[in-house]
């Protein structure tokens, strides 16, 4: 099996979008597949995407299943997953359906690396903090209508984090352009329930975030607090 890894460090300063970098990779992949050779392509970086518009547009790793998309930033202490969903499409192109946050408190990680395996469409973030190795793997599934993040720690019981859901761009109904947006975020058991409504065409959106873990999961103020875990799976 041949493995090609390309760093995206510094691509934010390029004139052309990342699609012009990905296209040659995909063409090469098709050529190798046609020859019967097994190949694996990975994009990687040694730092997280910046938590801003530039990071979203140029540095985050995109995952998509045709029904919704995730942009994974790979931030150790305050991971951001920006969710794009077909239900939220308007002529202003406000497709940002939700912001998911994974807060760990790991502000000073070492041996950091994130990658997007183009062959398997899995985004991975790995780092160490206080002598523990942490790993997150993300993918999306069209048949299951689900996005998945799997988190692990190398030391038993060392995995603790909060899961939050944030509604982007809330605007009171009745604004002059008719683009009001409102919603609620509530947590109960091991789930977060999100309900939204947009003034434009009466668009409504609902989603559930569920956490499965070998540790303790406690709902509090619209979030889920996970503690004492070795592995956990966050389902959107």
């Amino acid at each position: 099996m041949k493995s090609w890894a390309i760093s995206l460090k510094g691509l934010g300063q390029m004139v052309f979008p990342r699609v012009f970098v990905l296209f040659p990779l995909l063409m090469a992949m098709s050529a190798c597949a046609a020859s019967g050779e097994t190949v694996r392509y990975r994009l990687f970086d040694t730092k997280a995407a910046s938590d801003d518009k530039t990071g979203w547009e140029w540095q985050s790793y995109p995952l998509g299943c045709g029904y919704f998309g995730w942009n994974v930033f790979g931030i150790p202490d305050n991971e951001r997953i920006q969710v794009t969903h077909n239900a939220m499409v308007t002529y202003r192109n406000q497709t940002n359906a939700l912001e998911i946050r994974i807060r760990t408190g790991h502000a000073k990680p070492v041996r950091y690396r994130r990658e997007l395996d183009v062959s398997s469409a899995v985004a991975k973030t790995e780092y160490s903090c206080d002598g523990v190795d942490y790993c997150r793997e993300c993918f999306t599934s069209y048949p299951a209508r689900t996005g998945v993040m799997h988190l692990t720690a190398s030391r038993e019981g060392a995995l603790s984090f909060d899961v939050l859901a944030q509604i982007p761009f809330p605007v009171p109904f009745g604004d002059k352009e008719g683009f009001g947006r409102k919603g609620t975020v509530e947590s109960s058991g091991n789930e977060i329930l999100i309900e939204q409504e947009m003034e434009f065409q009466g668009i409504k959106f609902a989603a559930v975030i569920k956490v499965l873990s070998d540790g303790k999961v406690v709902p509090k103020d619209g979030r889920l607090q996970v503690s004492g875990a070795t592995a956990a799976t966050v389902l959107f």
Side-chain angles (χ1 to χ4, degrees):
M1 180 181 72
K2 181 184 293 184
S3 178
W4 290 5
I6 294 182
S7 172
L8 291 186
K9 186 176 183 179
L11 280 183
Q13 300 177 0
M14 294 182 63
V15 176
F16 300 105
R18 286 181 295 173
V19 65
F20 291 95
V21 178
L22 291 173
F23 182 73
L25 286 176
L26 297 176
M27 292 298 291
M29 184 187 300
S30 299
C32 290
S35 67
E37 183 179 2
T38 302
V39 294
R40 180 186 177 197
Y41 293 88
R42 293 171 294 157
L43 309 176
F44 75 93
D45 208 329
T46 54
K47 64 179 181 180
S50 58
D51 191 0
D52 52 26
K53 183 178 179 181
T54 298
W56 166 77
E57 185 175 12
W58 290 98
Q59 302 164 0
S60 63
Y61 288 155
L63 300 173
C65 64
Y67 185 69
F68 65 87
W70 274 12
N71 278 73
V72 182
F73 286 63
I75 305 172
D77 60 333
N78 189 20
E79 175 65 290
R80 177 183 176 186
I81 297 177
Q82 186 268 333
V83 182
T84 300
H85 198 285
N86 291 344
M88 307 305 286
V89 174
T90 70
Y91 71 79
R92 192 185 275 183
N93 199 31
Q94 292 182 334
T95 58
N96 189 348
L98 197 66
E99 299 279 353
I100 301 174
R101 293 282 186 173
I102 308 293
R103 294 182 177 170
T104 65
H106 298 157
K108 296 181 179 180
V110 297
R111 295 190 295 278
Y112 176 93
R113 177 186 168 97
R114 66 184 174 109
E115 70 172 46
L116 173 61
D117 191 320
V118 180
S119 303
S120 64
V122 173
K124 179 188 292 187
T125 301
E126 297 176 299
Y127 62 89
S128 298
C129 188
D130 297 328
V132 181
D133 298 329
Y134 295 94
C135 179
R136 305 172 189 161
E137 294 179 289
C138 299
F139 67 91
T140 60
S141 168
Y142 178 82
R145 300 290 199 271
T146 301
V148 179
M149 173 184 281
H150 186 62
L151 306 92
T152 58
S154 63
R155 181 186 301 165
E156 185 176 355
L159 183 62
S160 296
F161 59 93
D162 286 5
V163 184
L164 299 83
Q166 301 170 334
I167 296 175
F169 311 124
V171 177
F173 274 40
D175 76 329
K176 62 181 180 180
E177 295 182 334
F179 275 89
R181 184 172 185 171
K182 62 184 180 180
T184 59
V185 177
E186 299 177 351
S187 59
S188 177
N190 66 337
E191 296 182 344
I192 299 174
L193 176 63
I194 304 100
E195 294 185 349
Q196 292 188 56
E197 183 177 356
M198 293 187 68
E199 188 173 3
F200 178 75
Q201 294 186 348
I203 296 172
K204 294 183 179 181
F205 172 87
V208 174
I209 297 173
K210 178 181 289 189
V211 175
L212 306 176
S213 173
D214 59 1
K216 187 177 181 180
V217 182
V218 177
K220 183 178 180 180
D221 300 330
R223 68 184 66 188
L224 296 176
Q225 297 179 325
V226 181
S227 61
T230 305
T233 302
V234 179
L235 304 172
F236 165 75

